[in-house]
Amino acid sequence: QVQLVESGGGWVQTGGSLRLSCAASGRTFDNYNIGWFRQTPGKEREFVAAISMNFGSPFYGGPPQGRFTITRNTAKNTVYLQMNRLEPEDTGVYYCAAGISDRVTSDGDYTFWGQGTQVTVSS
């Protein structure tokens, strides 16, 4: 089983930056994709970004609009989401997930999920 732990969330003013981390442990494999999603109460879970752990290929959803960057550190089994120019609309719980599918933009593409980290952007 793969365990995922998110960290790096917090409170920031509009225009600020945060760097989220997703640390994977347990029985990990180098062909996993790691994706980031965010959730606001009353709204459907939204795909943010994903990265292939073996190839390092990034994929981005619509919400970041060029403001987010996903990277990985394979030695640490950790994926980072650098979030810049944050806006109040970016507020939510951010989850990372692991999967082996060639698709990365949907909940069903992932098998393991972390518990999330809260991001709050104040106006």
Side-chain angles (χ1 to χ4, degrees), residues 15-80:
S17 298
L18 287 173
R19 187 197 191 202
L20 306 184
S21 298
C22 174
S25 61
R27 192 168 182 176
T28 59
F29 305 94
D30 62 2
N31 64 339
Y32 269 70
N33 302 314
I34 298 293
W36 283 99
F37 293 78
R38 66 187 183 187
Q39 180 72 62
T40 300
K43 189 178 181 180
E44 186 177 341
R45 188 174 296 178
E46 186 175 44
F47 171 73
V48 177
I51 192 166
S52 168
M53 294 299 289
N54 55 342
F55 297 122
S57 306
F59 305 87
Y60 294 99
Q65 295 180 300
R67 298 179 291 110
F68 295 178
T69 302
I70 188 169
T71 58
R72 83 201 200 283
N73 185 325
T74 56
K76 295 183 177 181
N77 284 321
T78 300
V79 171
Y80 306 97

Side-chain angles (χ1 to χ4, degrees), residues 69 75 101 106:
T69 302
S101 173
S106 300

Side-chain angles (χ1 to χ4, degrees), residues 69-120:
T69 302
I70 188 169
T71 58
R72 83 201 200 283
N73 185 325
T74 56
K76 295 183 177 181
N77 284 321
T78 300
V79 171
Y80 306 97
L81 184 68
Q82 179 68 46
M83 307 189 297
N84 298 323
R85 295 162 50 206
L86 284 163
E87 303 171 357
E89 309 89 84
D90 297 318
T91 294
V93 179
Y94 283 69
Y95 299 88
C96 66
I100 60 173
S101 173
D102 289 336
R103 304 288 295 271
V104 296
T105 61
S106 300
D107 292 2
D109 299 326
Y110 301 90
T111 303
F112 304 102
W113 292 80
Q115 292 301 116
T117 184
Q118 177 70 44
V119 171
T120 302

